[in-house]
Amino acid sequence: MAALRGGWADEGFGAVADAFERNFAEEDELGAAVAVFAGGRQVVDLWGGIADDRTGRPWERETTVPVFSCAKGLVSLCVQLLAQEGRLDLDAPVSRYWPEFAQYGKEAVTCRQVLAHRAGIPALDRVLTAQEIAAWTPVIRAIEEQKPLWEPGAAYEYHGHVFGFLLGEVVRRLTGLTPGAYFRRTVGEPLGLRAWLALPDGELGSLARLSEAGERPALPGPESLIMRTVTMNGALAFPGLDEPYGWNDPALLGMELPGAGGAASASGLAGVYAAAVTGVDGGARLLTPETVADAVRETSSGPSWSGLDFGHRWGAGFLLDSPARRLLGARSFANDGAGGQFAFGDDEFGVGFAYLANRMIGHGDARAERLTEAVRKSVGAPEA
């Protein structure tokens, strides 16, 4: 059994430490960290293993990891904050804030439909280079010119990168800042949280290197909707990690890819959710109970437009508690990311949680599920 390199768990949260150690003993864990806040203070901060399997560099407390679609939680938080302030109406047409968007059948699309993956544009027809994607504006023009695949609101399909760029442009139109800059100014920097939507160059030295677990599974062809969605029509490498514009490439990590390109430490990401539901270290909570109630109202579930059904339930930008993805209860809201990354908040139990790892096993694998169940036990949430 692998010994923990560092960290601590408060009395009452020993089950989380046990589950973390069990992950190293029973799963194909390389390096990982888990952080839990309860009642506005950190109660678990654990890390262990190897951050870089080429050099043996150990995982440290401030090690950062690409968090993939956990980035959607940061974008959704920004959108919810703007709505809470009265600057954004989630049920108004996107074109109220972005007039050029109102083309080709998108005139009535709302931000809530985008948050629910119901806008009808999970992928783009235009083929862009990685350099164009990094420049932001070419993606925005492609979204403006895109025709929905279905009548917006009538079905849902995971919107991948489009989710972040579309909502991110609304944030930019309202604030003058890209979502990454707005998040850092509003949340990350004031609270000292190590979470970003584009990794600063100065943080590359603390970055964990991702590693694939075993052989790659068979994947759909590049023309399939899912691969077009996650690779932006082949401009970004997936599942490859070390190819140009793969997820170990600093050039990719430095881009602002707000739908899937975030990076964070476990404490930083858990702190974001804790700040949202309770505040941290005596600060006020970012989201009111009414805003959380709106965010956890189910908007999408069941089979998607393409016929996929992973058993997930969606609220306004977040995964909700479901048999397929157990959280703490009806007030929980989460996002997960490729390889097993996972984070959630819950204002009924006052919890912010994040688990990050560099061994890319999968979505919803046993590692995060085991840790979440330990948190459930520690805070007295009903058994799954």
Side-chain angles (χ1 to χ4, degrees):
M1 182 175 292
L4 300 181
R5 275 204 72 259
W8 48 271
D10 273 9
E11 184 177 357
F13 288 85
V16 181
D18 292 342
F20 187 67
E21 189 166 353
R22 185 178 167 193
N23 279 349
F24 278 91
E26 299 181 11
E27 307 295 338
D28 192 19
E29 201 74 283
L30 178 63
V34 62
V36 182
F37 287 73
R41 66 181 186 87
Q42 192 159 7
V43 295
V44 175
D45 193 8
L46 298 167
W47 61 92
I50 301 300
D52 189 329
D53 60 358
R54 299 168 303 177
T55 66
R57 173 167 56 91
W59 198 290
E60 305 287 350
R61 181 179 188 273
E62 295 191 341
T63 293
T64 57
V65 194
V67 298
F68 297 94
S69 285
C70 287
K72 290 180 174 67
L74 308 187
V75 174
S76 297
L77 174 61
C78 292
V79 170
Q80 292 288 352
L81 286 171
L82 290 169
Q84 183 172 278
E85 293 167 5
R87 301 170 68 182
L88 173 62
D89 181 346
L90 297 183
D91 296 306
V94 169
S95 58
R96 175 184 293 183
Y97 314 101
W98 175 5
E100 301 90 339
F101 181 79
Q103 304 181 65
Y104 303 108
K106 303 191 301 298
E107 291 82 359
V109 170
T110 66
C111 286
R112 190 180 302 278
Q113 289 173 337
V114 183
L115 288 164
H117 302 273
R118 304 185 74 87
I121 45 177
L124 301 174
D125 290 335
R126 183 188 288 189
V127 177
L128 301 165
T129 65
Q131 292 79 9
E132 287 174 320
I133 293 168
W136 187 272
T137 299
V139 183
I140 302 312
R141 297 292 171 262
I143 292 173
E144 292 170 356
E145 297 167 3
Q146 183 66 38
K147 296 179 181 179
L149 295 182
W150 61 84
E151 180 183 352
Y156 89 98
E157 187 79 36
Y158 194 64
H159 273 49
H161 290 283
V162 173
F163 179 102
F165 280 105
L166 203 166
L167 293 169
E169 180 64 8
V170 173
V171 171
R172 193 187 72 82
R173 297 282 175 132
L174 287 169
T175 69
L177 299 171
T178 63
Y182 179 73
F183 169 78
R184 290 302 303 169
R185 188 182 75 175
T186 306
V187 180
E189 291 173 5
L191 299 177
L193 299 174
R194 294 178 54 75
W196 300 268
L197 288 171
L199 188 69
D201 288 344
E203 296 294 333
L204 288 172
S206 67
L207 186 68
R209 180 178 182 273
L210 298 171
S211 175
E212 295 185 60
E215 296 183 6
R216 294 182 186 176
L219 295 171
E223 299 304 315
S224 66
L225 179 61
I226 184 62
M227 293 306 291
R228 289 177 53 222
T229 298
V230 300
T231 69
M232 295 195 75
N233 294 323
L236 312 178
F238 188 86
L241 300 174
D242 294 309
E243 291 88 339
Y245 301 108
W247 293 96
N248 282 325
D249 185 350
L252 178 70
L253 297 172
M255 293 183 189
E256 187 155 338
L257 296 170
S265 69
S267 291
L269 189 56
V272 170
Y273 281 88
V277 299
T278 63
V280 292
D281 298 330
R285 61 185 288 175
L286 298 179
L287 299 182
T288 66
E290 294 76 17
T291 298
V292 172
D294 185 68
V296 300
R297 180 164 55 88
E298 182 182 304
T299 56
S300 297
S301 62
S304 71
W305 178 78
S306 66
L308 297 174
D309 187 355
F310 297 108
H312 292 158
R313 298 170 58 241
W314 290 96
F318 299 99
L319 283 168
L320 307 181
D321 185 57
S322 71
R325 194 86 215 215
R326 298 303 304 177
L327 302 174
L328 303 186
R331 300 283 294 189
S332 297
F333 55 98
N335 264 284
D336 62 3
Q341 326 295 10
F342 191 54
F344 69 83
D346 186 296
D347 70 347
E348 178 181 358
F349 294 97
V351 167
F353 168 94
Y355 162 77
L356 303 178
N358 59 348
R359 180 80 81 191
M360 301 280 291
I361 293 179
H363 283 78
D365 62 79
R367 298 172 299 171
E369 290 181 356
R370 182 177 289 135
L371 290 163
T372 301
E373 181 58 33
V375 175
R376 293 174 64 86
K377 178 180 178 181
S378 297
V379 300
E383 294 186 7

